[in-house]
Amino acid sequence: MNKKIKYSLIVLGFLSFLIFFIPNKPVYALVTNGQLYNIENKGSGKYLNVNNGTDSNGANVIQWSPDGSIEQIFRPVYYSSKGAYRIYAMCSDKGANRVLDVLRTGGSASGSIASGNNVDIWSTGDDDCQYFTFVSENLANTEYSIRLKSNPNLVLTAYGSGNGSGAGNTSTSMGNVYISTYTGSSNQIWRLKRLDITPAYPYRMTKGIGNQKYYVHSSASNFLTHITNGINSWSPTIQFSRANDNSSTAIDFYAVPNDAYAGEDWLGATNQAVPSYYVEPELRGWSYADVKINSDRFLIGTNNNTQRQVVIAHEIGHGFGLMHHNVSGTIMCANVFNVTVSTPQNEDREGLTSKY
Ligand SMILES: [Zn+2]
């Protein structure tokens, strides 16, 4: 049986690392899996930008004056099997398709990856050209070199202080972004400006959001009130109606004993799935999600009905593609006891609406 299991838990007793950001200030942020960022070049102050937001293989990546456009928003997603990030361009299918990519010499699949080669966006596939690491270059961890995983000496570099262009794709084209051997020069250093949106996986539930159905299996009937409250808390971002079977549903609720999934220290767990198997939301879309409730812990492991509603709302967030958030003022904090809100917040809702 080739069943890939990936589930996201809301846990008990997990000491969460909290980071508080000041909104609407130019705070340079740490790199966080699934977060949306503007990526600013230290030398020029300009932002990494897909030229004209063109969503096609080979579209040039340049630097451009900050303009608030989706062309300048990127989502780094961490792949533990690679020990590195893909950097999804939000102008490509809302971050579910093309990624930052180094063009091989001569543009052929057998070409080398060398200093001076251009950076563009491309469909995922050529791993040596598409996985990057963020290496901190200052004590405050606010300045990074963005290094090619397959050759960490080669880093993302911007040329000059002006705006780039679609045709200017060499290492001496004004405003172009390419890779070069690291020297510590300021045009090889980047700062991350975090958007106040809950982190998310790059891919989506194929049903989308909007009017969706959910199903409550008989095993979870004891928790119907909490499920209903959690469901309703996502309105109006997601409008749910209850179905009598799971044939066309987006979210299915089950209850299982505490040791069936991950030992005892969990309250809820979510699997993203297509019919007959679970999927990894870092790698592809899914058509529905199963939410498990820990039948042994749910009523005694949470303090009150508000926290139970939060657990359900949190798992629904996973079901549609949200990741954990370090910020306690959102519904997606990993530890229910650190969640200071009872309903999805604007950051959580925008986390979904930015994807769908
Ligand atoms: Zn969780």
Side-chain angles (χ1 to χ4, degrees):
M1 200 155 135
N2 184 20
K3 180 185 273 191
K4 282 190 173 178
I5 295 182
K6 161 127 193 145
Y7 46 86
S8 303
L9 306 172
I10 188 158
V11 296
L12 289 161
F14 174 75
L15 188 61
S16 184
F17 181 59
L18 300 179
I19 302 170
F20 294 95
F21 293 95
I22 305 164
N24 304 319
K25 294 270 177 63
V27 173
Y28 297 122
L30 305 171
V31 60
T32 300
N33 188 19
Q35 185 63 257
L36 295 181
Y37 294 100
N38 296 129
I39 302 177
E40 179 191 75
N41 188 266
K42 182 181 179 182
S44 65
K46 293 184 183 294
Y47 284 0
L48 195 70
N49 188 306
V50 178
N51 185 59
N52 284 338
T54 303
D55 183 15
S56 61
N57 286 342
N60 198 24
V61 171
I62 58 176
Q63 65 177 6
W64 194 266
S65 303
D67 63 7
S69 73
I70 198 170
E71 304 166 12
Q72 302 182 336
I73 302 177
F74 295 87
R75 188 194 306 281
V77 176
Y78 188 71
Y79 291 80
S80 54
S81 63
K82 304 286 186 182
Y85 293 83
R86 279 177 177 158
I87 303 173
Y88 285 83
M90 286 300 285
C91 65
S92 178
D93 193 17
K94 297 190 175 184
N97 188 5
R98 293 186 169 86
V99 297
L100 223 58
D101 169 272
V102 175
L103 198 65
R104 290 175 179 267
T105 302
S108 75
S110 58
S112 63
I113 303 169
S115 183
N117 284 20
N118 196 36
V119 170
D120 56 11
I121 58 168
W122 207 278
S123 304
T124 58
D126 191 345
D127 289 358
D128 285 349
C129 298
Q130 296 178 343
Y131 281 96
F132 296 87
T133 58
F134 291 77
V135 175
S136 175
E137 302 292 354
N138 68 341
L139 284 174
N141 295 324
T142 55
E143 297 182 347
Y144 291 93
S145 57
I146 302 175
R147 295 171 181 255
L148 203 52
K149 176 67 176 177
S150 62
N151 183 350
N153 291 324
L154 298 176
V155 301
L156 217 59
T157 307
Y159 183 79
S161 56
N163 289 334
S165 67
N169 58 7
T170 75
S171 60
T172 54
S173 303
M174 179 52 73
N176 193 38
V177 172
Y178 58 101
I179 53 165
S180 69
T181 303
Y182 183 69
T183 63
S185 168
S186 64
N187 65 333
Q188 297 178 321
I189 304 294
W190 303 83
R191 295 160 167 161
L192 301 172
K193 289 187 167 180
R194 168 188 176 274
L195 277 66
D196 286 328
I197 294 176
T198 297
Y201 297 104
Y203 299 101
R204 297 185 281 261
M205 185 189 288
T206 53
K207 289 187 176 70
I209 51 176
N211 294 317
Q212 291 299 345
K213 292 185 167 63
Y214 70 99
Y215 166 69
V216 181
H217 184 257
S218 57
S219 60
S221 58
N222 285 348
F223 313 108
L224 188 57
T225 300
H226 313 299
I227 291 170
T228 304
N229 290 342
I231 285 281
N232 289 339
S233 74
W234 271 105
S235 178
T237 310
I238 313 168
Q239 300 276 2
F240 279 105
S241 58
R242 193 176 166 195
N244 293 323
D245 61 59
N246 63 357
S247 60
S248 63
T249 46
I251 305 277
D252 302 328
F253 292 93
Y254 301 85
V256 298
N258 67 19
D259 59 355
Y261 281 83
E264 297 181 357
D265 290 339
W266 62 282
L267 296 167
T270 299
N271 294 112
Q272 295 87 354
V274 294
S276 81
Y277 65 96
Y278 295 139
V279 303
E280 297 191 59
E282 295 95 335
L283 296 175
R284 56 163 294 178
W286 58 99
S287 57
Y288 68 100
D290 283 344
V291 172
K292 273 91 174 179
I293 294 165
N294 185 333
S295 57
D296 293 326
R297 299 297 293 273
F298 195 72
L299 295 180
I300 60 168
T302 44
N303 290 334
N304 55 50
N305 288 335
T306 299
Q307 284 184 335
R308 293 172 191 130
Q309 168 185 322
V310 165
V311 173
I312 298 296
H314 175 103
E315 298 305 331
I316 293 169
H318 285 315
F320 284 91
L322 294 182
M323 290 185 185
H324 283 150
H325 205 335
N326 290 329
V327 179
S328 60
T330 68
I331 208 78
M332 295 310 294
C333 189
N335 182 341
V336 66
F337 298 108
N338 287 343
V339 178
T340 58
V341 297
S342 58
T343 59
Q345 301 297 293
N346 285 340
E347 284 197 29
D348 302 306
R349 295 178 192 279
E350 288 172 17
L352 290 188
T353 55
S354 68
K355 291 174 58 65
Y356 289 90

